[in-house]
Amino acid sequence: MYIAWGFFDKIPDDGSISYASLAASINGDEALVRRFGQLLVATGKLKRPQPDHVAHSRLSPTFKSGNRDAAHFTMMCDEFQKAYQAFPGFFEKYGPHEPKGESEVPFCFPDGVDGKLTYWELILQRGQENVERFGRAMQGLQTHAWPYTGIYDFSWVAEYAKENSDRPLILDIGGGYGQMIRAVLEETPAIPRNRCYLEDRAEVIESVTKQSANDPILKDVQKVVTNFHKEQPVKGALIYLIRRCIHDYTDDDCVNVLKILADALRADEPRARVLINDQINTEDPTPFVAAYDVLMMTCASLERSEKQFENLAKRAGLEVVKIHKKEGTSLGVVECKKAGT
């Protein structure tokens, strides 16, 4: 509720604010604000420097409005906790089997739209504000859990661009608000920005096009409305990059997505690649990966192992060249080429 009421924005960066002032800002009861505040103080989320006052802790600025990690936190609470709590009813209805398909999933079950809407259609139904929060949430945890760079070296693309002046270079597929392609271009500024592409659904592209109009990097990146379950509109690119999307779908759906990308690769370009940037599961996963695997179950998907990625690639007409990893993160890059090239 302190996030919903905007209290973390109202607490000064230096100093403190009284419960009375916070309550007055929403025309609410001071006693109610104090009771929630006491819990946050007791658990270390806020500090109490003097009676009836709260101040920021080391972590609490994370919960200010617009913060990506805050969006991730609230999405977990609002969207996925309902799905977890619905597990008993869902499995009573569908039996003790892994969820299958796009709509008969735990994510949709609490709203009574299982079998009617996909999880993304349900997010859309909840309004544009919810869509934008989802976009911010997908940018959360990037500095430590899901880094954009440091796993795969894109520097060779800049050299390739000098020798091949007319070919699309990097397509960021399902790239949301462009956070991944931005990081790549910041790390390797010699890659021509106007030969890189950001692809996503129409409502996302519309939003990011407006937001990036004055962005020194993203303004030059081509924005393309794409449904990656259907035909790829940009053929013959050097790299088709898909980050943290494959884990959203069933094996059959993923094979379809990857086959579309495999078909888009030029057969006469042995350096052309499909890069799958996703978490790599193991037999003994970390608590973080294991928890995310259960989260993905709510959408009938999973966090996959190296072997499972290899099987997907093979079914899609791709061949795994190398799986790139970085110490300290469960995220990896599965580097694929067109089979037989």
Side-chain angles (χ1 to χ4, degrees), residues 283-297:
E283 290 187 5
D284 297 303
T286 64
F288 182 82
V289 175
Y292 243 86
D293 183 56
V294 173
L295 182 148
M296 299 318 303
M297 188 194 302

Side-chain angles (χ1 to χ4, degrees), residues 314-335:
K314 184 176 181 179
R315 288 178 59 192
L318 294 167
E319 178 183 334
V320 174
V321 177
K322 183 178 180 180
I323 297 180
H324 303 260
K325 299 179 182 179
K326 180 182 179 181
E327 187 175 351
T329 176
S330 57
L331 206 67
V333 173
V334 183
E335 179 184 356

